[in-house]
Structure formats: C-alpha cells, structure tokens
Amino acid sequence: YIMLGMRLQEGINLKDIYKQFHIDMMDAKKIEIANLLKNRLIEIKNDYLYATDLGFHVLNKIILDLV
C-alpha cells in the first residue's frame, strides 16, 4: 500500500492505513516523518501524506523510511 501509494501524486491516506492495517503512521514513524517534513520531502494535508516535488527525486528513500 505504501510503496504504490507514495508513487501517486495524492500519496497515501493515513486514515485508510489505520482502518486497513490498524497502524497509526504518525505514531509508528514519528521520527522518520518529522525528518522528511523538516527536509521538505513530504507534506501532509487532509490526512494525505505525499511526496513534494523535491521528494519525488528521492522517492525510494522516502518509501524505505516509511515501511
């Protein structure tokens, strides 16, 4: 779900991940998400976590951080 979803422009829906897998990504990957946000590689809006334009250049690294 994460590997394919992050390749989409809209990214992954954090609520859907919780509903399907009972994983709170914001808690489980708190440090990784904070670092990615700080480096402007991802953004989170309306419960969607997605790669920024800069993040798409290092998308494989982002995915590894999130899985």
Side-chain angles (χ1 to χ4, degrees):
Y1 185 89
I2 293 172
M3 289 176 63
L4 295 176
M6 286 303 296
R7 296 187 189 285
L8 301 174
Q9 194 170 23
E10 67 265 12
I12 56 175
N13 185 300
L14 298 172
K15 285 185 179 180
D16 285 348
I17 290 177
Y18 186 77
K19 286 179 189 175
Q20 290 183 28
F21 306 107
H22 306 287
I23 297 171
D24 181 350
M25 290 289 292
M26 296 301 293
D27 187 47
K29 295 293 183 170
K30 180 179 1 184
I31 294 170
E32 293 87 346
I33 289 173
N35 286 332
L36 292 168
L37 285 167
K38 182 178 90 176
N39 291 315
R40 298 185 203 155
L41 299 176
I42 62 168
E43 289 185 5
I44 301 171
K45 288 186 184 165
N46 300 322
D47 295 316
Y48 279 88
L49 185 151
Y50 58 93
T52 62
D53 290 340
L54 180 63
F56 265 105
H57 295 287
V58 290
L59 192 56
N60 288 336
K61 185 240 185 286
I62 293 171
I63 292 169
L64 285 175
D65 284 352
L66 296 176
V67 294

